[in-house]
Amino acid sequence: MSLTQIKKPITVRGNDSGKLGLVHVITGDGKGKTTSSLGIALRAVGNNLRVHMIQFLKSGFTGELYSAKKLGFEIEQFGVDALKQKSLQEFKDKTGRFVFQPDIQEKDAALQGWEHAKNIIKSSNFDVVIMDEINCVLAKGLIPLEEVLDVAKNHGEVELIFTGRDAPQ
């Protein structure tokens, strides 16, 4: 085991809110994509940035929804079952599981989530916008790829984060 030897001070600069505007694509097999985006959100909130997360395909009663509220940002779910609920309390399953419905049933919910995401991005009310599972939605053809690419190219200084498996090239 080799330890890194620091021989002189190293200064690490934090985020500079004047330099936002990147597009992060977090994809691949296995776990950790949503968790990674939540880590970025945690750091952003700690730097007094305004964060909003939109979850495509997901419907469920989970701790991350409540943790986000405690940290000062909101997670909105746009899974078909989530859109049927008036509040999180209505979910009968309180185990922290997400429910993914068949793709054809999720199309309208995905389109509604995408319209909402575009409005959130254009609003300039947020510095960081996370679109959780949007890569899956794109891979399934539930929302128009060209529209998403256009927003990614012309989103201004909002930091965009796209998560999910199977991100299109």
Side-chain angles (χ1 to χ4, degrees):
M1 177 198 244
S2 174
L3 297 176
T4 301
Q5 299 293 318
I6 298 175
K7 298 183 180 358
K8 60 182 183 175
I10 299 171
T11 303
V12 179
R13 294 190 66 165
N15 290 343
D16 179 356
S17 62
K19 300 205 184 214
L20 293 174
L22 293 176
V23 176
H24 306 253
V25 178
I26 305 170
T27 193
D29 295 334
K31 295 183 177 185
K33 294 171 287 294
T34 299
T35 303
S36 177
S37 71
L38 289 167
I40 295 169
L42 177 67
R43 181 176 285 173
V45 169
N47 282 296
N48 295 314
L49 298 176
R50 301 160 298 163
V51 176
H52 192 81
M53 183 176 203
I54 298 156
Q55 290 185 321
F56 292 87
L57 304 176
K58 290 182 176 177
S59 298
F61 183 89
T62 64
E64 66 197 46
L65 300 172
Y66 291 105
S67 297
K69 278 192 180 189
K70 288 181 180 181
L71 291 171
F73 73 97
E74 184 176 7
I75 299 175
E76 292 183 278
Q77 291 183 337
F78 280 85
V80 69
D81 289 340
L83 293 176
K84 292 177 186 174
Q85 308 301 317
K86 292 182 181 143
S87 75
L88 288 176
Q89 304 307 325
E90 290 187 29
F91 281 109
K92 291 176 180 54
D93 183 351
K94 308 265 191 218
T95 60
R97 294 181 297 186
F98 286 115
V99 177
F100 292 94
Q101 296 297 339
D103 297 347
I104 192 67
Q105 292 179 23
E106 291 287 358
K107 184 163 181 77
D108 288 341
L111 286 167
Q112 189 175 339
W114 174 236
E115 289 302 315
H116 181 68
K118 289 189 295 187
N119 290 332
I120 289 290
I121 294 164
K122 288 179 194 172
S123 76
S124 300
N125 291 332
F126 299 96
D127 303 300
V128 178
V129 177
I130 302 167
M131 290 168 275
D132 189 33
E133 304 297 349
I134 195 167
N135 296 336
C136 297
V137 168
L138 290 167
K140 294 171 185 288
L142 300 178
I143 62 175
L145 176 60
E146 290 305 316
E147 274 189 35
V148 176
L149 291 173
D150 185 53
V151 168
K153 291 175 187 171
N154 301 298
H155 66 281
E157 293 188 11
V158 177
E159 199 89 356
L160 300 180
I161 303 169
F162 295 9
T163 75
R165 295 173 185 244
D166 304 318
Q169 289 297 319

